[in-house]
Amino acid sequence: QVQLVESGGGLVQPGGSLRLSCAASGSIFSINAMGWYRQAPGKQRELVAAITSGGSTNYADSVKGRFTISRDNAKNTVYLQMNSLKPEDTAVYYCNAGIKPYGGTWYNYWGQGTQVTVSS
């Protein structure tokens, strides 16, 4: 069984930094794109950043220049470095990955979410 486990959320002051991690585990044959989404109260879930298996990245306009996504393919892990955090970045952050398990088909997996709160 494949699962994504996130870590690194928490409370931070405006202007501060946090680093989120998401590790994929289980019977994994291959991982395609990985990404981070977020959902604030009363709002729809939105893409924050994504990275392909080859390292190409894309970002939401609201986080460009402040957030950096990266991945370690050997560890099946994706990271999100968040700098210059703003109160509007407050949300539950979800990890997402396209994964093909051994003997299975490609499927879009989600993590359980980690809370990020930016407040003074």
Side-chain angles (χ1 to χ4, degrees):
Q1 183 169 347
V2 173
Q3 60 176 352
L4 301 178
V5 178
E6 299 129 335
S7 60
L11 173 64
V12 64
Q13 293 186 341
S17 298
L18 282 175
R19 189 191 194 209
L20 305 183
S21 299
C22 172
S25 63
S27 182
I28 297 171
F29 177 75
S30 183
I31 302 179
N32 195 357
M34 306 182 80
W36 291 93
Y37 288 71
R38 67 185 180 188
Q39 188 166 19
K43 294 188 176 182
Q44 289 189 334
R45 190 173 297 189
E46 63 175 358
L47 174 68
V48 177
I51 184 168
T52 67
S53 57
S56 297
T57 59
N58 69 287
Y59 297 90
D61 288 343
S62 59
V63 306
K64 283 180 180 176
R66 300 188 297 123
F67 291 10
T68 302
I69 189 170
S70 61
R71 65 191 283 173
D72 185 333
N73 291 331
K75 296 182 179 179
N76 292 337
T77 299
V78 63
Y79 306 96
L80 186 68
Q81 178 67 43
M82 304 185 293
N83 299 328
S84 302
L85 282 160
K86 305 175 181 179
E88 51 263 44
D89 295 318
T90 296
V92 178
Y93 283 70
Y94 296 91
C95 176
N96 173 268
I99 296 174
K100 185 181 189 304
Y102 280 101
T105 58
W106 287 99
Y107 187 79
N108 203 26
Y109 289 86
W110 291 91
Q112 79 285 0
T114 185
Q115 177 70 47
V116 171
T117 302
V118 184
S119 175
S120 55

